[in-house]
Amino acid sequence: MRFFLVPISTKRAFIYCRPPKTIKTGYVDRVTNKAAEIWAGWEKAEKGWKKQLVGYGHVILQRIPYEEWGLKSIPPLSQSLQIQEAQQKQKIDVMFPKNAIKSEDVFGILRKLGTERQELHRRRMWWCIGIAPLTAPIAIIPVVPNIPFFYLAYRAWSHWRAWSGSKHLIHLLDLNLISPHAFPELESFYATRLLKNGVPGHQTKSNMVTKDTNKLTEKETAAPKDEAAAEERLLLEMKDGEELGKILETPAIAIEVERAVLQVGQKLKLNEEKRQEKNAQ
């Protein structure tokens, strides 16, 4: 198992877990995989309610917070796994780009990702479980399946996975089983994007090309005096997901990057519009 800490903007990152190939598949995962096969079959439909449902489904899935998707990638913490990790004391690698994230900030970022949404996922999981039975009358409608029930069941499972993933992450942090490692290839990937987005203050000398550095003025190369107050900027584009997947040898992370970039970009655009309206008043 290996974790990747992926910066999306100058102030936001998400965690993604690449599970070991030998991990056992549980009953819930087998049911989920079967549902994914059915969904893939519906995607091939040329018309009808299946095609329409898939279209609406993609819109809904894109709205699920990228933080939730990241936590869902972390295997659930079962009692047996908890005991095994505590006894073996085998550390889990966390790969990150140190030119975009300071080494001393890694543990704080991981703990924040593991705690800030934990209670939210727990509450919403139980809410979905409680509401789902109320959709039973819809099942009497012929041909069309009980979509509200399946949606609530999926969201309950999704919240459970994210909640379980967050608990697993905190468990590893509490046992000091997290080992951060700077990833040179990931740093090279971010180096050009930091320069492109005007964030040279985050870069290290090893990642700055001499001829490019000489072209920068003193004002451009100076780090912000107060990084917390600095304007948040996107570091990635949606198309970067595929390249990141190749660098990390984890193709599945591409869709997570695309989703995160889309959501963070929308938030930054909304914040900018609010700021302009406030200045105009």
Side-chain angles (χ1 to χ4, degrees):
M1 184 166 66
R2 172 171 288 185
F3 291 157
F4 301 110
L5 192 55
V6 183
I8 298 300
S9 72
T10 52
K11 295 184 179 181
R12 305 175 200 240
F14 77 93
I15 188 170
Y16 187 83
C17 176
R18 185 177 68 193
K21 296 180 181 179
T22 57
I23 191 169
K24 295 182 180 179
T25 303
Y27 174 75
V28 175
D29 289 326
R30 289 196 294 270
V31 172
T32 304
N33 292 335
K34 182 62 178 178
E37 292 178 6
I38 296 174
W39 184 264
W42 289 0
E43 287 181 326
K44 297 178 182 179
E46 296 182 358
K47 58 182 180 179
W49 65 266
K50 292 182 180 179
K51 187 68 174 179
Q52 291 181 332
L53 181 60
V54 167
Y56 293 137
H58 283 309
V59 173
I60 294 173
L61 292 177
Q62 284 291 76
R63 293 179 179 176
I64 296 176
Y66 68 91
E67 299 97 331
E68 181 176 330
W69 288 99
L71 291 172
K72 282 165 56 177
S73 69
I74 303 175
L77 181 61
S78 63
Q79 187 174 5
S80 59
L81 182 59
Q82 184 175 352
I83 295 173
Q84 179 183 352
E85 290 177 343
Q87 291 178 340
Q88 293 182 350
K89 296 291 184 180
Q90 184 176 358
K91 294 200 172 187
I92 306 298
D93 292 334
V94 177
M95 316 306 291
F96 72 100
K98 67 178 180 181
N99 55 345
I101 297 177
K102 294 180 180 179
S103 300
E104 59 268 27
D105 293 340
V106 171
F107 286 106
I109 293 173
L110 291 175
R111 189 165 289 276
K112 181 180 179 181
L113 290 172
T115 57
E116 66 179 352
R117 298 178 60 87
Q118 191 174 111
E119 181 60 21
L120 178 145
H121 289 305
R122 187 191 68 83
R123 291 198 314 268
R124 293 190 178 178
M125 175 192 71
W126 287 114
W127 185 88
C128 290
I129 291 174
I131 296 298
L134 301 180
T135 65
I138 301 177
I140 64 176
I141 301 176
V143 183
V144 179
N146 189 346
I147 301 304
F149 172 81
F150 289 116
Y151 171 74
L152 289 169
Y154 170 76
R155 292 302 289 133
W157 171 83
S158 182
H159 285 302
W160 171 76
R161 278 301 298 257
W163 179 43
S164 299
S166 66
K167 290 195 298 181
H168 194 173
L169 177 58
I170 296 302
H171 169 73
L172 294 172
L173 288 168
D174 289 343
L175 291 181
N176 193 27
L177 296 181
I178 293 293
S179 179
H181 293 280
F183 196 168
E185 291 185 30
L186 200 55
E187 292 172 19
S188 299
F189 171 83
Y190 274 95
T192 54
R193 285 152 182 81
L194 288 165
L195 273 177
K196 179 181 178 181
N197 290 282
V199 199
H202 284 261
Q203 297 183 19
T204 59
K205 292 181 180 179
S206 61
N207 288 315
M208 298 182 71
V209 182
T210 304
K211 63 180 182 180
D212 291 333
T213 305
N214 293 335
K215 294 179 182 179
L216 297 174
T217 66
E218 182 179 353
K219 181 178 180 180
E220 290 172 328
T221 55
K225 293 182 179 180
D226 184 3
E227 288 192 21
E231 180 183 357
E232 182 177 4
R233 303 182 189 181
L234 270 175
L235 296 179
L236 302 180
E237 299 178 5
M238 292 180 67
K239 62 181 181 181
D240 291 330
E242 185 175 352
E243 186 175 350
L244 263 177
K246 294 178 180 178
I247 293 173
L248 303 177
E249 298 181 353
T250 309
I253 203 173
I255 186 65
E256 309 301 341
V257 171
E258 293 174 5
R259 184 181 292 111
V261 171
L262 176 64
Q263 293 180 4
V264 174
Q266 291 174 340
K267 290 178 181 177
L268 294 182
K269 183 179 179 181
L270 181 61
N271 291 340
E272 178 62 24
E273 292 176 350
K274 290 181 179 179
R275 185 162 49 247
Q276 291 179 356
E277 290 179 359
K278 185 176 180 180
N279 294 334
Q281 292 177 353

